[in-house]
């Protein structure tokens, strides 16, 4: 009977506890339902807010485009009113949004620009049909400054008749300045994409997280792992129709709302994403507060049940968390200390290497200068000492240039110079440098070109040369005597008909690299350390510069290596094909309409691909017998013979079968043997592999004059300074003395002004034609070179605007050259002064003056 109340009490307590649990469970379900509803409503509101933000940005961009179009229409009306429209265009100045204004008069294919050069519509693509206020807008492109731009064209009408077309080039950077600093607490990403090419033309600052590697929509898909065919099909459909689209997809393992927002009827698109957590931030805050209240109630409930137990568990948990945090903090401190030590060691190592590497040529310069003073009466020794001083000075200059290059790259001041260039010129110049280096060390240098479809491309030829020479000179340095080095230029499958996809491979069988060094090879100031490679001088910057240049051109670089087995560097680039018709008149003037290629299938395919646009019908034969049969049965004016596959007997037989005036060109390796006898045959010459059309043309021109009095291009002459008179602004007496002596050696005279002010006064007092050109230092007291150039150009003399003014300064950065040209100078020549370069610049200035 005594246990009954206890049992009943236990039952009541159990029932009470169970009831409380049920009540709290129901309460929790209600709170959860409410929180989900709030989160959903706030997400919908946030998505609406995103749409409104995108609409605002869209309206901003369209307003900018509209104002540009309205401005261009006003300018077109102004052009129509003036008597000389072309002169009016030349005098127009650029503004913050318009980088170039051009005019092509009706009936002409060429016009003028306010930047001074001739202008054609070539390279501008209006085929997408986009318009701004009724004016056609072009597909986006990179202008000559490497900035994404677009062009709007507008008809110029006078008295109801169209007299020409006005073209205005605008840069996307102007749009960037008008966009907001960011939205969704700067967590949203935003790009502007050209709809036709799907290239990202603007990545505004302050618009949230984004990868600097996103170049186009395909790259955006790849980087963010958007592979769903359904999503990509929907996006393609919206891009084609110029409609907006929103879709969910995980970005960096976080759910995100992606958008493609049409601007200007789908001419361009806003592309980006917003993390869902950013969209749901407000809902999460409300839910978080609700959960805090619920958690507080539950905590109070459980505290009432087992206060001591929960308190002990909380204290124990807190202790473990603090211990883990302390360990993590200690680990972070240790890693930071190690990183600081590594940085300090790298700096010390770099300073040690640079001290040694700079002192070595400097010691040679000072030592041979002392010997030069001692043996001044011995001409042979003077010439030898001078040659060695020059070599040491050039080596010292290359070390300084490496340091300046990496400094410019890290500060973002490197600007690529996109111009037309020939692969043949690049490979020939590299071969001319590397072949002697390799032969001097008894090495074999092999050059292979396969799969290339276009010889003329658009890119920065100087930087491409720098990459190739960096890789190949390293291969020569780190390959022992008797080793082998390969340079392969491989044409890969084109992703677009407008771009040549090229792979460059530099391979050697030299010392190789350790796996540890491969991880840091592209870091600045790092060099492989062992008893062999320590003997090779250098800054440790070559590979860092190479990688930065490759990435700046939108390419990739990889390296594979094993110790004592050699290394392989692989560079992938996409270079725009130069849109220019092949020179078919050359072949017509030579009477060459059919050609025959004789050799292996692999070699023939490269020749056939490069000759495709010449207008010459090219046949192929696998052997000399087959080639002879073809010659008997048809009309052939040119034969290309692979020496390795056919040999001297085939060459003689083909020469006898050809007409006397038909060229026989032999394709051979650089060091091929047995060619002397064949070269005695008439109208026969050797073309060193790899094959390029421009090199073939040069060989054909060398075999005889063109019929009907035609002439090939005359060789470019450097020019002469004989009899010229210069005015030079130079504040350094030693530099002035050196300049005067160098010009006197060339037969020219020079008058020195100690600063810019004196140079301006001397020119003002001179007679017209007294000076042929002005050499202007930049950093000078009283008045610097830029101010002096502007003062001379502002004079009311007839020759003040046309006399060549050449910047002659030790400031060799691209921005320094741009500043010199902006001050009114004609060219920029860096110090140390090269007389050959000065001659070339003077000749170019003279040609511009004549036109």
């Amino acid at each position: 009977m005594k246990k009954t109340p206890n049992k009943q009490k236990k039952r009541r307590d159990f029932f009470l506890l169970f009831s409380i649990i049920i009540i709290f469970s129901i309460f929790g379900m209600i709170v959860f339902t409410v929180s989900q509803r709030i989160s959903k409503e706030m997400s919908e509101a946030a998505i609406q807010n995103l749409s409104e933000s995108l609409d605002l940005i869209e309206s901003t961009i369209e307003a900018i485009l509209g104002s540009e179009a309205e401005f261009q229409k006003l300018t077109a009306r102004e052009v129509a009113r003036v008597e000389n429209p072309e002169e009016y265009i030349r005098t127009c100045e650029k503004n913050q949004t318009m980088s170039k204004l051009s005019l092509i008069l009706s009936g002409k294919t060429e016009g003028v620009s306010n930047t001074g050069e001739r202008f054609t519509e070539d390279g501008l693509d209006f085929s997408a049909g986009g318009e701004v206020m009724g004016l056609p807008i072009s597909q986006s492109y990179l202008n000559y400054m490497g900035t994404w731009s677009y062009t709007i064209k507008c008809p110029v009408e006078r008295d109801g008749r169209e007299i020409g077309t006005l073209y205005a080039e605008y840069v996307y950077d102007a749009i960037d300045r008008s966009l907001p600093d960011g939205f969704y607490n700067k967590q949203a990403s935003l790009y502007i994409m050209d709809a036709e090419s799907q290239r990202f033309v603007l990545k505004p600052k302050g618009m949230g997280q984004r990868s600097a590697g996103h170049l186009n929509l395909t790259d955006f898909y790849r980087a963010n792992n958007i592979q769903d065919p359904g999503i990509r099909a929907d996006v393609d459909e919206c891009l084609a129709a110029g409609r907006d689209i929103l879709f969910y997809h995980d970005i960096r393992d976080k759910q995100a709302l992606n958008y493609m927002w049409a601007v200007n009827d789908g001419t361009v698109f806003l592309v980006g994403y917003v993390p869902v957590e950013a969209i749901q931030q407000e809902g999460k805050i409300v839910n978080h507060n609700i959960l805090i209240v619920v958690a507080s109630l539950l905590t109070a409930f459980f505290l009432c049940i087992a206060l001591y137990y929960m308190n002990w568990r909380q204290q124990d948990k807190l202790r473990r968390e603090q211990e883990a945090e302390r360990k993590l903090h200690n680990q972070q401190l240790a890693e930071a200390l190690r990183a600081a030590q590594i940085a300090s060691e790298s700096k010390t190592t770099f300073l040690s290497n640079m001290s040694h590497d700079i002192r070595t040529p400097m010691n040679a310069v000072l030592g041979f200068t002392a010997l030069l003073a001692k043996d001044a009466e011995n001409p042979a020794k003077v010439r030898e000492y001078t040659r060695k001083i020059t070599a040491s000075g050039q080596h010292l200059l290359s070390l300084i240039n490496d340091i300046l290059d990496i400094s410019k790259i890290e500060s973002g001041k490197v600007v690529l110079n996109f111009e037309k260039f020939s692969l043949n010129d690049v490979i020939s110049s590299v071969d001319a440098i590397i072949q002697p280096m390799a032969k001097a060390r008894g090495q074999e240098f092999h050059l292979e070109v396969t799969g290339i479809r276009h010889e003329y491309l658009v890119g920065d030829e100087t930087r491409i040369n720098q990459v190739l020479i960096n890789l190949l000179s390293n291969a020569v340095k780190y390959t022992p005597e008797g080793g082998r080095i390969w340079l392969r230029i491989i044409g890969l499958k084109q992703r677009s008909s407008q771009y040549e996809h090229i792979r460059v491979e530099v391979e050697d069988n030299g010392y190789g690299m350790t796996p540890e060094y491969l991880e840091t090879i592209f870091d600045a100031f790092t060099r492989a350390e062992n008893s062999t490679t320590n003997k090779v001088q250098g800054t440790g910057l070559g590979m860092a510069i190479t990688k930065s240049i490759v990435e700046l051109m939108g390419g990739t670089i990889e390296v594979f290596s094993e110790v004592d087995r050699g290394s392989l560097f692989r560079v992938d680039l996409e270079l725009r094909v130069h849109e220019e018709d092949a020179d078919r008149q050359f072949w017509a003037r030579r009477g060459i309409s059919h050609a025959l290629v004789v050799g292996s299938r692999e070699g023939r395919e490269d020749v056939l691909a490069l000759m495709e646009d010449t207008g010459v019908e090219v046949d192929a034969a696998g052997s000399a017998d087959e080639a002879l049969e073809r010659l008997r049965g048809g009309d052939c004016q040119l034969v290309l013979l692979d020496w390795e596959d056919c040999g001297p007997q085939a060459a003689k037989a083909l020469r006898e079968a050809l007409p006397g005036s038909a060229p026989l060109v032999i394709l051979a390796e650089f060091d091929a043997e047995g060619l002397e006898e064949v070269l005695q045959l008439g109208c026969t010459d050797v073309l060193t592999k790899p094959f390029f059309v421009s090199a073939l043309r040069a060989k054909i021109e060398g075999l005889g004059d063109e019929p009907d009095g035609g002439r090939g291009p005359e060789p470019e002459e450097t020019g002469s300074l004989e009899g010229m008179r210069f005015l030079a602004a130079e504040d350094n007496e030693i530099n002035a003395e050196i300049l005067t002596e160098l010009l006197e050696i060339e037969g020219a005279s020079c008058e020195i002004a100690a600063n810019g002010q004196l140079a301006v006064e001397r020119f003002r007092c001179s007679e017209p034609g007294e000076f042929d050109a002005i050499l202007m230092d930049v950093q000078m007291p009283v008045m610097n070179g830029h101010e002096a150039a502007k003062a001379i150009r502002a004079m009311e003399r007839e020759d003040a605007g046309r006399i060549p003014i050449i910047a002659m300064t030790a400031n060799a950065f691209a921005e320094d050259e741009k500043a010199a040209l902006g001050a009114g100078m004609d060219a920029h020549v860096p110090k140390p002064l090269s007389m050959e370069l000065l001659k070339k610049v003077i000749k170019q200035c003279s040609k511009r003056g004549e036109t």
Side-chain angles (χ1 to χ4, degrees):
M1 295 294 294
K2 291 181 180 180
K3 294 182 179 180
T4 301
N6 292 332
K7 291 181 179 180
Q8 291 178 349
K9 185 176 182 302
K10 288 180 179 180
R11 288 192 186 121
R12 284 198 301 272
D13 291 342
F14 176 79
F15 180 77
L16 178 61
L17 178 61
F18 180 78
S19 300
I20 292 173
I21 292 173
I22 293 296
I23 291 172
F24 271 87
S25 297
I26 295 173
F27 178 72
M29 292 177 62
I30 294 173
V31 171
F32 177 78
T33 302
V34 172
S35 66
Q36 289 295 103
R37 181 177 177 183
I38 292 174
S39 178
K40 181 179 179 182
E41 291 176 353
M42 287 191 171
S43 295
E44 293 174 353
I47 292 173
Q48 180 64 29
N49 184 32
L50 172 62
S51 300
E52 292 173 357
S53 299
L54 292 173
D55 285 336
L56 177 60
I57 296 174
E58 174 188 355
S59 300
T60 301
I61 296 175
E62 290 179 345
I64 293 172
L65 294 174
S67 64
E68 291 172 348
E70 184 64 32
F71 169 77
Q72 192 163 345
K73 288 181 179 180
L74 293 173
T75 305
R77 288 197 288 270
E78 185 65 23
V79 171
R81 284 196 293 267
V82 299
E83 182 177 350
N84 188 341
E86 291 189 334
E87 184 61 29
Y88 178 83
I89 292 298
R90 291 191 186 97
T91 59
C92 288
E93 296 182 355
K94 297 186 289 186
N95 56 39
Q96 291 185 343
T97 60
M98 183 181 69
S99 62
K100 185 166 72 173
L101 189 67
S102 307
L103 174 69
I104 298 179
L105 296 177
S106 296
K108 295 185 178 180
T109 58
E110 276 194 359
V112 297
S113 298
N114 62 346
T115 56
E117 76 272 18
R118 302 298 297 171
F119 174 80
T120 66
E121 193 175 320
D122 295 343
L124 299 178
D125 188 355
F126 293 90
S127 61
E131 293 185 348
V132 178
M133 295 185 66
L135 300 182
I137 181 172
S138 74
Q139 180 180 327
S140 304
Y141 58 90
L142 283 169
N143 65 13
Y144 71 97
M145 297 183 295
T147 302
W148 280 105
S149 311
Y150 56 92
T151 294
I152 299 177
K153 65 179 181 179
C154 174
V156 179
E157 297 181 349
R158 180 188 294 167
D159 299 329
R161 180 175 60 87
E162 183 173 327
I163 66 170
T165 305
L166 183 67
Y167 298 81
E169 178 180 275
Y170 303 93
V171 295
Y172 278 99
D173 291 344
I175 295 177
D176 189 11
R177 292 191 290 270
S178 302
L179 295 181
D181 290 338
F183 54 96
Y184 280 104
N185 198 25
K186 295 188 177 181
Q187 296 187 60
S189 73
L190 175 66
Y191 299 84
I192 295 182
M193 181 186 75
D194 182 80
E196 184 68 17
S197 65
Q198 299 186 355
R199 299 277 296 189
F200 288 168
V201 297
L202 184 61
K203 308 170 187 177
K205 300 178 181 177
M207 299 304 289
Q209 301 176 359
R210 63 188 185 276
S211 168
H214 294 350
L215 302 176
N216 51 41
L217 185 58
T218 302
D219 185 34
F220 182 83
Y221 284 156
R222 181 173 59 254
N224 297 311
N225 198 26
I226 302 177
Q227 304 296 337
D228 188 336
I231 292 178
R232 296 180 69 159
D234 291 341
V235 170
D236 291 341
E237 181 181 348
C238 290
L239 291 179
R243 293 189 289 102
D244 307 330
I245 184 173
L246 295 170
F247 62 90
Y248 286 96
H249 183 77
D250 290 350
I251 304 294
R252 300 190 184 95
D253 298 326
K254 293 183 180 179
Q255 190 177 17
L257 180 62
N258 296 256
Y259 57 85
M260 305 278 178
W261 212 259
V263 179
N264 192 38
D265 297 328
T267 304
V268 294
F269 275 77
L270 304 177
V271 180
Y273 58 85
V274 183
V276 172
E277 62 182 14
I279 295 176
Q280 298 177 344
Q281 188 66 33
E282 295 179 359
K284 284 185 176 180
I285 293 174
V286 174
N287 291 336
H288 182 67
N289 293 333
I290 294 175
L291 290 175
I292 290 175
V293 174
V294 174
S296 300
L297 293 175
L298 291 174
T299 302
F301 169 71
F302 285 108
L303 283 174
C304 294
I305 298 174
L307 181 61
Y308 177 78
Y309 176 75
M310 291 297 295
N311 183 64
W312 179 84
R313 289 288 302 272
Q314 188 69 20
Q315 292 297 327
D316 185 62
K317 180 180 179 181
L318 181 62
R319 180 184 59 79
R320 290 196 302 270
E321 289 178 350
Q322 289 176 343
E323 185 67 25
E325 185 177 352
R326 188 180 299 109
K327 290 181 179 178
L328 179 60
H329 184 63
N330 291 337
Q331 182 181 357
Q332 290 174 342
L333 287 176
E335 292 176 353
L337 176 61
R338 178 59 182 161
Q341 290 173 340
I342 292 174
S344 178
E345 291 172 1
S346 298
K347 179 181 177 181
T348 302
T349 302
F350 168 67
L351 291 175
S352 175
N353 289 338
M354 287 307 302
S355 175
H356 172 269
D357 290 346
I358 289 179
R359 286 175 185 272
T360 298
M362 182 58 72
N363 179 65
V365 170
L366 296 177
F368 283 116
T369 303
L371 293 174
L372 193 62
K374 179 181 177 182
D375 296 321
E377 303 302 326
N378 188 333
K381 288 189 175 182
V382 167
R383 284 192 292 271
E384 178 66 16
Y385 296 158
T386 304
R387 183 183 64 80
K388 292 180 179 179
I389 289 172
T390 302
S392 298
Q394 291 293 342
H395 177 56
L396 183 59
L397 184 61
S398 70
L399 296 177
I400 295 172
N401 284 339
D402 274 354
I403 297 173
L404 293 178
D405 262 352
I406 198 67
S407 174
K408 286 191 293 182
I409 290 170
E410 290 180 348
S411 63
K413 293 182 179 179
V414 171
V415 178
L416 296 179
N417 183 24
F418 289 94
E419 292 180 343
K420 172 190 173 183
F421 71 94
S422 168
L423 272 180
N424 179 47
D425 293 342
V426 171
I427 294 172
S428 297
S429 62
V430 170
D431 186 54
I433 294 171
I434 300 302
Q435 282 285 6
M437 292 173 59
K439 284 189 174 296
R441 293 174 57 87
Q443 299 167 343
E444 296 180 16
F445 176 52
H446 301 282
L447 178 58
E448 302 173 8
V449 178
T450 57
I452 298 297
R453 298 186 59 83
H454 301 90
E455 177 181 351
Y456 293 98
L457 304 171
V458 176
D460 193 326
E461 181 179 0
T462 301
R463 292 297 182 181
I464 294 172
N465 261 324
Q466 186 177 3
V467 168
L468 293 177
I469 291 174
N470 273 356
L471 295 175
L472 287 167
S473 60
N474 268 4
V476 172
K477 289 178 186 177
Y478 295 103
T479 300
E481 292 188 7
R484 289 180 291 175
I485 299 165
W486 295 267
L487 169 60
R488 305 184 188 95
I489 311 293
I490 305 169
L492 303 180
K493 182 179 180 182
Q494 292 178 266
R495 297 188 178 98
S496 167
S497 60
Q498 297 179 339
Y499 288 85
E500 183 80 33
H501 191 185
I502 295 176
R503 170 167 292 173
V504 178
E505 291 186 346
V506 174
E507 185 177 3
D508 63 70
N509 61 348
Y511 305 122
M513 292 170 279
T514 63
E516 294 77 17
Y517 179 63
L518 285 177
E519 296 178 2
T520 62
I521 184 174
F522 294 117
D523 295 341
F525 312 122
T526 59
R527 292 165 59 177
E529 299 292 337
N530 60 55
S531 59
T532 302
T533 59
N534 282 346
K535 299 176 183 178
V536 180
Q537 295 184 2
T539 58
L541 298 174
M543 287 299 99
I545 293 171
T546 298
K547 183 174 187 291
S548 299
I549 293 174
V550 169
E551 291 180 347
L552 195 61
M553 292 189 291
T556 59
I557 183 170
E558 299 176 285
V559 58
F560 310 91
S561 183
E562 292 185 34
V563 176
D564 296 329
R565 298 191 64 179
S567 305
L568 169 64
F569 287 86
R570 179 176 294 159
V571 176
D572 283 0
L573 294 172
E574 283 194 279
L575 300 172
R576 188 159 62 86
V577 176
H578 188 262
E579 297 178 359
E580 183 178 59
D581 292 335
D583 183 7
R584 303 192 177 197
Q585 293 182 358
F586 170 84
W587 306 100
R589 289 197 303 269
R590 288 284 175 177
I592 299 176
S593 59
H594 291 79
L596 180 63
V597 183
V598 186
S600 64
R601 178 183 180 85
E602 188 175 309
R604 296 193 323 246
E605 289 180 351
D606 295 329
V607 176
L608 293 173
L610 290 170
M611 292 287 290
E612 186 175 344
D613 295 329
T614 61
V616 178
E617 183 179 340
V618 183
D619 292 329
S623 65
D625 293 337
E626 183 181 350
L628 290 170
E629 189 66 29
R630 295 280 184 90
L631 291 178
R632 296 189 190 98
D635 183 21
C636 179
Q637 299 87 28
L638 170 65
V639 172
L640 301 173
L641 175 67
D642 193 311
W643 180 256
E644 184 178 354
D645 294 332
C646 299
Q649 297 302 323
K652 293 178 181 178
L654 290 171
R655 180 68 272 171
E656 292 176 359
L658 278 169
S661 61
L664 172 63
V665 178
I666 298 172
L667 305 177
E669 298 291 342
F670 175 80
D671 53 355
E673 298 179 354
L675 291 168
E676 294 79 6
E677 182 181 353
V678 176
L679 288 175
Q680 303 302 318
L681 303 175
C683 206
T684 303
D685 205 342
V686 176
L687 176 61
T688 303
K689 292 182 180 179
F691 172 83
F692 285 105
V693 176
S694 59
L696 175 62
R697 286 181 49 181
K699 289 296 180 184
I700 294 174
E701 287 174 345
L703 289 174
D705 295 331
E706 293 189 21
D708 301 327
R711 290 189 305 169
E714 296 180 358
E716 182 179 355
E717 297 180 359
T718 306
S720 173
L721 305 183
E722 182 75 31
M724 296 187 69
R725 180 170 172 79
F726 293 88
L727 172 62
E730 174 59 72
D731 63 317
N732 186 287
E733 293 182 3
I734 295 178
N735 288 345
E737 182 179 353
I738 292 172
L739 176 62
T740 302
E741 293 293 335
L742 289 175
L743 288 174
E744 286 182 358
I745 292 173
E746 298 294 334
S749 61
C750 178
E751 183 172 334
I752 302 295
N755 57 59
Q757 181 66 46
L758 293 176
V760 173
E761 294 300 328
R762 180 65 185 88
F763 180 75
R764 180 180 285 112
C765 298
S766 68
E767 296 293 329
E770 181 176 348
F771 296 108
D772 297 298
I774 300 175
L775 303 179
M776 186 73 70
D777 192 12
V778 173
Q779 294 185 359
M780 293 183 292
V782 184
M783 178 184 285
N784 64 37
H786 293 160
E787 295 170 347
K790 292 178 182 177
I792 291 174
R793 293 303 188 205
M795 292 182 184
E796 296 182 355
R797 294 174 46 145
E798 182 181 354
D799 59 343
R802 67 170 184 268
I803 186 170
I805 304 178
I806 300 167
M808 183 181 60
T809 173
N811 299 332
F813 286 177
E815 59 269 22
D816 298 315
E817 182 176 358
K818 184 177 180 182
L821 298 177
M825 302 193 201
D826 296 277
H828 179 277
V829 177
K831 294 180 181 177
L833 184 63
S834 167
M835 294 307 295
E836 293 302 317
L837 179 58
L838 179 60
K839 291 178 185 178
K840 183 177 180 181
V841 169
I842 290 291
K843 182 180 179 183
Q844 291 173 347
C845 292
S846 300
K847 286 183 177 179
R848 284 199 294 267
E850 292 171 2
T851 57

